[in-house]
Structures are given as C-alpha cells and as structure tokens.
Amino acid sequence: MASLFRDLSLGHSKRESTPSPLQPPPTMPSKLTASDLESPLGQLSSQLTDSDLRATAYEIFVAVSRTSAGKPLTYISSSSNSDFSTHHHSPNSPNSPALQRSLTSAAASKMKKAFGLKSPGSGSKKSPGSGPGSGQGKSKRPLTVGELMRSQMRVSESIDSRIRRALVRVAAGQVGRRIESVVLPLELLQQLKHSDFADLQEYETWQKRTMKVLEAGLLMHPRVPLEKSNPTSQRLRQIINGALDRPIETGKNNESMQVLRSAVTSLANRSDGSFSEICHWADGIPLNLRLYEMLLEACFDVNDETSIIEEVDELMEHIKKTWTILGMNQMLHNLCFTWVLFHRFVATGQVETDLLDAADGQLAEVAKDAKTTKDPQYAKVLSSTLSSILGWAEKRLLAYHDTFDSGNIETMQSIVSLGVSAAKILVEDISNEYRRKRKGEVDVARSRIDTYIRSSLRTVFAQRMEKADSSRRASKNQANPLPVLAILAKDVGELSLNEKRVFSPILKRWHPLAAGVAVATLHACYGNELKQFISGIMELTPDAVQVLRAADKLEKDLVQIAVEDSVDSDDGGKAIIREMPPYEAEAAIANLVKAWIKARLDRLKEWVDRNLQQEVWNPQANQEGFAPSAVEVLRIIDETLDAYFQLPIPMHPALLPDLMSGLDRCLQYYASKAKSGCGSRNTYVPTMPALTRCTTGSKFQGVWKKKEKSPNPQKKNSQVATMNGDNSFGIPQLCVRINTLHRIRTELDVLEKRIITHLRNSESAHTEDFSNGLAKKFELTPSACVEGVQQLSEALAYKIVFHDLSHVLWDGLYVGEPSSSRIEPFLRELERNLIIISDTMHERVRTRVVTDLMRASFDGFSLVLLAGGPSRAFTRQDSEIIEDDFKSIKDLFLANGDGLPAELIDKFSVTVRGILPLYRTDTESLIDRFRRVTLEAYGSSARSRLPLPPTSGEWNPTEPNTLLRVLCYRNDEAATRFLKKTYNLPKKL
C-alpha cells in the first residue's frame, strides 16, 4: 500500500502562498463520476443540489470555527484591532486562534499514516499556492485552516468575506449565545441584504437556497418528528412557498420576517429529550449526513482527487466542531467517512486502491460501533450504506472474470476485503436471523466467497459456451471441425488453470478451498452440458468420442486441482470431491463401443444366416475348394477388427474381449451351421443286431432284431433321405465343408497375429495386454472347427462306405458264394471316391479324410463278416479269399507307397487282422475257445448253460460275442449242432 509523503519543511506547508487572497482554481472541473452509485446516506425531499449543500456546509463550518466551544460570540468592529473578547481576534487577523490558526505539516498526517493513504503531488498537479511561481520575491506565510477550507470547498474570497461579515453581525445581535443555539440560516437571512451581493439575482438565488435549507431541516427532515396537524409547520411551509415564488423582505422589523422567525424558532426549539439549548435545524437525518459528507469531501486534494491533503488532521479537527449543529457523533462520522472514502475510489475511476483499503480500515471501526449501539436510525443508515457498498462490490465479484485479470488483481483483493467486511457487519450485527442461530454455524466470509466463485464461474462458463458455439459455427465449412463440447472442454481446462493461478490465491484468504470450489463449479457446469449430450447420442461417432475423451481429460485435470487444493483441509477435500460426481465418460464411451460391437455382430450373424442358406458348397466356386461364404465372413471379421482399432477411443484392450467373444461366437455359429444336417458316423453305421441263426431265404434287415434302439430313428432316416435328395450334401460338397472349416481354423492364427499388431499400435495398450493371451484369442471357434472337421470327415467316410457304396458292400460282398462275390467292385467304387476326395480336399485335411475312409472300409468289411445277415456263410476254405480281399483294401490305401503310411494302416487294421485268423480256425477249436472265454467272463454260473453274450461292437478274438458271430456264419454241421443245442438257433441257414 502506498504511503508516499512529500517533504514538508517544519512550520511551512507546501500550500504556502503570498498574503494575497487565495482563489480556487477557476477552470478545474471535477472529474468525479459515480453515476451508478447513489448516496446511501439518504435522498433529500427538497430540491437542494450538491452545490447548495456544499455552500450551507461551508457556512456551518465557518460559523463553528470562528468560536471556541463555550465562548460567547462578541461583536468587534472590523475597523479596530480589538478582540471579540480577550481570546478572539479579528477575522482578518492571521493570528486568530481558531479559524485563522496556522497549519504546519512537520510530518505526515497521523490519519493518513493510519490508513496508508498516499500524498498528493506525485504525478499530479500542484496544490494551490505550491507552484514554483507563486509568491516569488514575496514573503511567504503558512496557510490557515480557513484559507485551506475555502480553497478545498471552492468558495470564492468574496463569498467567504460575506459570510464572515454576516457572522460578525450575528454575534453583535446574539451576545452571549453559543452558535449551536441559534438557527444559522435564519440569522444569515436577517443580516445579509441585497447590497451584500454582486447583483439582485445572486441575492435572490441565495435567499431561495437558504429557504430550502430551512424547509429541509425543519419541515422535511426534522430531528424531532412533526405532527401533520402542527399549525406552526403549516404556517412555515406557506411562508417558504411564498418566498420561493417572490423574495421576502428580511428587515428586522419587517412583519413577514417576524412571522418567519417566530415559526422557525418554535420548530427549532422543540426538545429531542436531551434538555440542551441546541436548535434543531440541521441535525435531522439525512440532511445532517449529506452536509457532513460535503465537509468530508473537502479532505481530498482539489488537484489530485485520489489523494487526501497533508493537513487532514487539523482540518478534520475543525470539521468535527460541526457535530453539535449537525447532530453527529463518532459512530456517524466513521460511517460517513467510510462512505466518502469508498465513493471517492469509485468516482475517480477505481484506480487508487489505497482509498479502498482506507475504507476497509474505517469499516473495522464501523464494525465495533455496530456491536455497541441499538439506535434504529443509525442501524438504518448503516444498513443502507453497507448494502450500497456490498451491492457495488458484488456487482463486480459475482462475475469477477468480467472485471479482473492478472493486471488488476490487487484491486480485486481490496474490493473482496471491503465487500466481505460489509457483509459480515450486515449479517452478524444487523441480521436477526443470524442472531437466532449460533454464530459458529455461519461463516459469513467463506459463504460470500463461495457465492462469488460459483456465480462468477457459472457466468464465465456460459460465456465460454457461447464462444465455443460461435467457433463451431465459424468452422463448419472446414474439414473435421471440433465439436462444441470438445472446444469447451479445452476452454474450461484453461479457465481452471487461470483460476488457480490468478484468482484462487486471492480468494484463499477467506475460503481455504477456493480453487476446489471453482473447479467443482466448472465440473458441474460442464457436466450438465455433457449429460444432455450423452443422452442424445444414439451411436458411436467421431464427434461423440472426441467430446467424451475431452471430457475425461478435463475431469481428471479438475479433480487434480481440487485434490491439490484440499491437501490441508480438515476432511482432505472429501466435501469438494463429493460435489464432483464422475462424468463416467469412459463408461459412456465403453457403452457406445459395446453398442457398436453389438450392432456389428448382429449384422454379421444375420449375414451368416442369410449366406449359409444360399451356400451350395460348390467345389468349383474357387480354386482352393472352400465356400465363398467363408471367404466373406473372414473378410468382414477382418474389416470389423480394423474398424474397431481405428475407433478413437482410449480403451481398445479393455473392450477387445467383448469384440473377440462376439466374433468368436459368430464363427462358432458358422462352423456349427456348416456341419449341420451332414450327419455323423453313427448316422450311417447300423446298430448291432442281436445274435440269431436264420432260415434260408430271410432278408438281412428283417432278421436284425435290434437290442438297442436308435435314439431317434426317424430323424436318422430323415437325415439320410435329405442327403440322398440334396446335392449340398454330396461327396464334393462335404469336402468343401471340411475345407471351409479347416480354412477358418487356419485363418484364426492370422487374425490373432493381426490383433497383436493392432494392439502394439494402440495408444492405450500396456504390457499386460500382451501377456493376457485369452483377451486376444478365439476360444470357441478352434475347437468347433476341429470337431466339425472330425464329424464331417467321419460322416463323409461312413456315408461313402455304408450309404453310397452299400450296393457293392452290403448287397454284393460275399453274398451267396464268397468266391464269386469278392471285393473288387467295392474297391473300384472306393477308388473313384478317393479320386474325388483327392481332387477336392485341401492337402492339410486330405490325409485325415482318407484315413477315416479307410477306417470306415475296415469297419464295413468287419461288419460284413460278423453281422452280414443270412445271405452270407463262410467255410474254413473261404478264409484265404477273405484275407486276400482285406489285403486288397489295404493296398488300395497304401497305393504303392504314395498313399497312407504303412504304420497308419497297420494301426487301424488291428481289429480286422485280429479276427481274420478265426476264419481259418476249425469249428471245434472255436467252440472250445468260446466256452472258455464265456466261463471266464461269467464264472461258475455259466457251467450249466452258457449265456448269450451281448453285442459290444468291439470285435476281438478273445471276446465271446465275436467268437459266437464267427460260429453263426460258419457253414458246417458242427457249428449248426452247437448253436441249436446251446441257443436253440435254426439248424439250417
């Protein structure tokens, strides 16, 4: 705070001048402007202007300064040098102890030191008489208080002389009376005549002003309230109204003057209960306050309106002498002086913060006064004054971003301090509501600052919102213009940093969580806009992602500021953080991405359904022999993954499992549809029949009494029927289906590697995202493809053997005479199918399919031998034919070393090779072996009667059912007798 004082020589003021009369600057118009700030001290009902009030205040000042308290006014002729009394000198004498007392400024004013106010002169015009040319070559003398006050109040020397002449006459006519016991305007009317003025117009103007003063002090704003029916007041009002229209004669013996004196004296002498002899003509509120305001204004330098004069201590001492006439006291003085300091700051362009600080310091005295008095009139003026100050301050503080920046932040600090001080007095000392509460429940300063922060931030947010909207409209023709909320998020982030840097350090003095409150307010404002934005988002768009990512970053920045600001708070900032419910921008993005994923997956599944219905599994569709629908579905999946990783989102790894799971299910669905309706191994292999020995002429299928029914024979038959009539289930088509599933399985590895590449290029990926293999792998599809290939391969093999080649296997092989119905027709047909498979099947799965076809051939050959029906019977001599035929089957698959590996053929031919020696074995040995293994299986209970062993389907030379079946198809007498005796089977085939 500035406290710069000019050097003043002891006993001499810088206002020194020549003895010539001091004139106020004639062309020095006041620069005071405060049009938006009316005086809270009260508006006068009469038509008194500020100039009128200033003239009246000066008259009072001169009157009280001429006399010492308690001393009677004594008339002394102006021509003589004798005193009014022994202690009073001529008004023109420079040695007058009161009005004409010399001013000295040996040191800076105590009052100015207390308030930290600057001195005039630095960078300003010189004070009256202090210019380098004033009084040169002439003896200098110190200014007197009277001369100083005349200059400060812009009163001409002629007016000053007229007033003092009149006061001398008053003193002559009121010998022994104190000045406060007379009605000064009335006495001046009596003493000043037309001849005392330059012209008649000036006199009449002065008389009208004096009448208005009497009207204001006695009728409109009396200290003691008037009754409406008071006849004296009515008479006085008539006189004043008449005088305003036509000047009255003021001679001592004039009747109109006597009537006026009578009415004025009667009203002015009404008691206010103080039992004093004071006349009450200028001590009613607000007249007294407005007059006193004029006197206090004189403390400011006329050439530097933001500075208080150096001689303020002595000037104020004389101003306070007017208290008796004006009904003032220290409390009212403190309040008025606070207002004058504050008003001067506002009126002079709000640049001199010393004035604000001085007003704030004076408010500290006002606060003490407010606690010690219950005077309702004082309380009313106090409330009005503080409300005016607070209203002016809050007009700036409720939107402080519009008024302040880093360049004038010190002014803001002073205004905040003044506003808070005013608010505290208003709430703590005037508010009844505050008194009803415990004082600890209300922190006025913190509450006000909280309000200023929130209001100002809401205001500036709305402005930034409008600015962002305008910026968006201006850039709508540009490529990829930023969304409004993305622009706003950036602006709000910058605003929060500026708030923390510039304003929060100031406001933290009164509110420890100033920055936290600011960012919480911004968080809420932006959150409201974001909530509306999110509610309107129907799908994932670049704009939506851009806004949500910007919101997420903004929220993190705001929370960080709030946390840092709350480190030292009692609750660690929990209250502020509770005001900042999460935007959940990431969750919103995640939900949009999940919706995006679901939409893509739904479309993919619909596409799979539609295209699989149209798929004909044509091996000629492409050179690689797999379905076009598979090529397309893999392409769509690849494009979906590319599109996913191109989404401008911060959580690719986090949501990848959702996408992978959905794609996985779609591919699994495709795999399941690709094998659907194709049947399986069990579709074509008949259920093993119960053992029987049939009469000649029975048909194969008619004698198979099934021990175990098929789970759904109708379905199985319908499948076979469907496959017989539907070309999409032919051998080439089944090969394409197998190729397709194999291709999908192979492409999964390619897709997974591509996903890893995408992850490495993702901004949000972390090391753990690569270590978590499950997140980027297909889990269901690989096994579905493997199982599908296995099922289709077996279905293809057993379809060929048991369905397509049934005419040469079931209906031809070994029917009748074995030597004339051997394996060659079956091998020819089988070889033709092998060529189709070789031409159609992908080499990576060809071996598997051929192996399954070999197994099916071996199973078919075994079934012909062990369950071939009544049309087949074998002698021991036929064993050589059977063995040769089996070798031919193996040779077909061995293909002179170009086919399946010999080890593989040996592995799958173990069962057939195990039962072939039984056909060379004699019947008695077979019967003995059968008895032995049956007794071993069933124990002693089988000694009396051999049980019929169940069909297991697992052919084995040591298994009772296998041995019994060989016996059933043995064409000799020994076998017939044994079967008839043991199981009562027919004797003849």
Side-chain angles (χ1 to χ4, degrees), residues 123-141:
S124 64
K125 296 180 181 179
K126 298 296 181 181
S127 299
S130 62
S134 65
Q136 282 187 350
K138 298 179 182 180
S139 61
K140 296 182 180 180
R141 66 173 178 80

Side-chain angles (χ1 to χ4, degrees), residues 873-889:
F874 304 102
T875 63
R876 285 182 64 193
Q877 291 73 22
D878 293 333
S879 63
E880 185 176 350
I881 293 173
I882 294 171
E883 290 176 1
D884 285 346
D885 284 351
F886 184 65
K887 181 177 181 299
S888 296
I889 298 174

Side-chain angles (χ1 to χ4, degrees), residues 754-774:
R754 193 166 296 159
I755 289 169
I756 292 175
T757 302
H758 280 307
L759 280 174
R760 294 190 190 281
N761 296 330
S762 172
E763 61 176 285
S764 54
H766 302 289
T767 306
E768 58 268 22
D769 296 323
F770 300 101
S771 60
N772 182 13
L774 294 178

Side-chain angles (χ1 to χ4, degrees), residues 590-604:
N591 290 335
L592 289 172
V593 174
K594 288 177 181 178
W596 180 90
I597 290 173
K598 183 179 183 301
R600 288 289 183 119
L601 295 176
D602 288 345
R603 288 200 298 269
L604 179 58

Side-chain angles (χ1 to χ4, degrees), residues 731 735 739 796 830-843 846-847 849-850 853 898:
I731 300 305
C735 291
N739 284 345
L796 171 64
L830 189 61
E831 186 174 17
R832 185 177 63 81
N833 280 281
L834 281 171
I835 292 172
I836 294 173
I837 291 170
S838 178
D839 291 343
T840 309
M841 194 66 65
H842 191 279
E843 60 181 8
R846 187 185 304 147
T847 299
V849 175
V850 172
L853 186 57
D898 293 333

Side-chain angles (χ1 to χ4, degrees), residues 350 392-393 396-397 399-413 415-416 498 502-503:
Q350 306 167 34
W392 181 91
R396 284 132 187 92
L397 296 177
Y400 55 75
H401 291 86
D402 294 344
T403 310
F404 306 106
D405 52 37
S406 57
N408 63 353
I409 194 65
E410 289 186 2
T411 303
M412 177 184 174
Q413 180 170 348
I415 292 176
V416 172
N498 185 64
V502 177
F503 298 107

